[in-house]
Amino acid sequence: MPLLWSLLGVAFAAVYLAIGFRLRARERAWWSGGLIVAAGLYLGFALAQGEPGSALLFEVGGLVVYGAFAVRGLRGDLRWTAAGWLLHGLWDGFLHQPGDLAPVWYAWFCLSVDLVVGVALWHRATTQMRPAPRGGPAAKIAR
């Protein structure tokens, strides 16, 4: 079953990337917003399960960390956002074991999405994009 959810995560990541690549000037907001949503889902799972305050604080901390990566990538170098996606994969794989907070299927799905998106964004950042200009999040695509 983990293989099925991992493959579905790869398929979802492919669709997510295809949409983002078409957004041009707004794609940085797409990548950053997606990272924040991915981190925020764990907080939602914790709230839904009535986890104690310490677990909620842990998830809020994760949201703050990934939010910082997202904002840094939005306003500067996309590699920050890419690194945030890759680190979120570690969050899925090492800090949240399948079934401990999120449903078992979600851990495999999210891990796959995070890694595929993170690698694709890292590649894009290092081969095709320039840092965002000062004063705005708009990306300049290198020609």
Side-chain angles (χ1 to χ4, degrees):
M1 207 54 144
L3 179 60
L4 172 64
W5 291 111
S6 296
L7 292 174
L8 288 172
V10 169
F12 178 86
V15 171
Y16 177 76
L17 289 165
I19 292 169
F21 291 150
R22 292 184 180 272
L23 294 176
R24 299 285 181 185
R26 296 196 175 162
E27 76 175 275
R28 285 178 188 264
W30 178 256
W31 309 133
S32 294
L35 177 58
I36 291 169
V37 167
L41 285 172
Y42 279 106
L43 179 57
F45 288 134
L47 287 168
Q49 291 185 13
E51 291 290 322
S54 59
L56 293 176
L57 187 59
F58 182 74
E59 297 304 332
V60 168
L63 187 56
V64 168
V65 168
Y66 293 112
F69 275 91
V71 168
R72 185 71 173 100
L74 181 66
R75 295 188 177 163
D77 193 331
L78 184 63
R79 287 179 288 190
W80 284 98
T81 306
W85 278 98
L86 292 168
L87 288 172
H88 194 261
L90 295 176
W91 182 268
D92 293 327
F94 293 107
L95 295 178
H96 287 296
Q97 298 302 309
D100 72 341
L101 182 63
V104 172
W105 65 267
Y106 181 78
W108 296 105
F109 177 86
C110 192
L111 175 63
S112 299
V113 171
D114 293 344
L115 296 180
V116 170
V117 171
V119 168
L121 293 184
W122 190 269
H123 179 264
R124 186 162 182 81
T126 58
T127 62
Q128 299 175 3
M129 293 192 88
R130 298 182 194 137
R134 288 185 167 251
K140 299 283 186 181
I141 305 294
R143 302 222 190 272

